Amino acid sequence: MSHPERDTRQSIVDTAERFFRDIGYQKTTVADIAKSLRMSPANVYRFFDSKKSINEAVLARFKGELEEVLSAIEAEPRSAGSRLRDMLLAVHRINQARFTDQHRMQEMVCAAMEESWDAILGHIERLDSILRGVVVQGIANGEFRDIDPVAATRCIRTAMIRFHHPLLMAQCEKMPGPSAEQMIAFIMCGLERPPAE
């Protein structure tokens, strides 16, 4: 069944993302997107009220793909600790693969973080929710210490920022510091309940 309005919105987002990758989101104009789609800029504005809303739609899709990977790991029937390790490593590996060769998309994500776009704030909330779900399960089954899961989740995200934030990943690449695996092991030591003596 065809949904013309949804299909047009999708085409606008697809075209915007292509321009963002090719020339960068700051240089991309609504007129560029409209011309590529053989539409008028006014027609594009029927579907998105501003260029910022197009940017946020591209970013939401970009981040949504990552959230799907994490949700799939969260649902696996295994220990909370092993799932949390894999989730943190997955975020690092996916972002590393995306941003190593896609500097213009890195530029868009960094700007989104600086401008606190709704899409990035929503992504952080969803990321925290997924991580928190695993932390809560680990506390409930005795794998993790009895800690505040909200504070623990925020600490985990903050500890991993060097390995997840596109700008910091690039800036810290040659600086001395732990590997992502070492940082994850350190985080797990802080969470795990020590064995009974």
Side-chain angles (χ1 to χ4, degrees):
M1 187 175 194
S2 179
H3 297 87
E5 185 166 325
R6 189 181 65 197
D7 294 345
T8 302
R9 284 181 62 87
Q10 186 67 43
S11 294
I12 292 168
V13 173
D14 290 344
T15 303
E17 183 175 344
R18 186 168 40 85
F19 272 107
F20 293 171
R21 290 179 193 279
D22 292 345
I23 65 171
Y25 95 99
Q26 290 179 327
K27 291 182 180 176
T28 301
T29 65
V30 173
D32 293 330
I33 296 166
K35 183 177 179 183
S36 179
L37 291 168
R38 297 182 181 160
M39 299 169 64
S40 68
N43 201 19
V44 172
Y45 284 122
R46 283 182 48 229
F47 298 93
F48 292 94
D49 61 1
S50 65
K51 184 187 169 203
K52 181 182 175 189
S53 64
I54 297 172
N55 297 347
E56 289 190 350
V58 172
L59 184 66
R61 181 166 67 187
F62 205 58
K63 292 298 185 182
E65 293 165 358
L66 175 60
E67 291 163 20
E68 286 176 16
V69 170
L70 298 184
S71 293
I73 296 171
E74 180 189 22
E76 291 175 4
R78 54 190 172 108
S79 72
S82 68
R83 284 180 290 147
L84 184 59
R85 277 187 198 92
D86 285 353
M87 290 163 78
L88 296 176
L89 203 52
V91 176
H92 171 63
R93 287 183 175 154
I94 289 169
N95 283 346
Q96 189 175 47
R98 281 179 167 173
F99 300 131
T100 300
D101 298 323
Q102 298 179 26
H103 298 292
R104 291 189 173 103
M105 290 304 281
Q106 174 187 17
E107 179 185 287
M108 184 194 75
V109 174
C110 290
M113 291 176 157
E114 288 170 14
E115 296 171 19
S116 297
W117 291 353
D118 291 342
I120 203 73
L121 296 176
H123 168 67
I124 290 168
E125 286 174 14
R126 289 185 296 276
L127 177 65
D128 278 4
S129 177
I130 295 167
L131 295 176
R132 189 167 54 249
V134 174
V135 170
V136 166
Q137 291 167 16
I139 293 168
N141 70 21
E143 280 183 72
F144 299 159
R145 294 182 297 108
D146 187 15
I147 51 178
D148 175 3
V150 173
T153 301
R154 289 175 179 162
C155 288
I156 292 165
R157 177 170 36 85
T158 302
M160 289 300 295
I161 198 163
R162 169 181 175 155
F163 304 100
H164 293 176
H165 188 296
L167 187 59
L168 292 176
M169 287 171 69
Q171 288 177 341
C172 296
E173 190 175 19
K174 293 186 170 63
M175 288 175 59
S179 66
E181 291 84 354
Q182 289 169 329
M183 181 57 81
I184 292 167
F186 187 80
I187 289 167
M188 298 310 297
C189 285
L191 289 172
E192 290 166 350
R193 187 183 291 277
E197 294 183 352

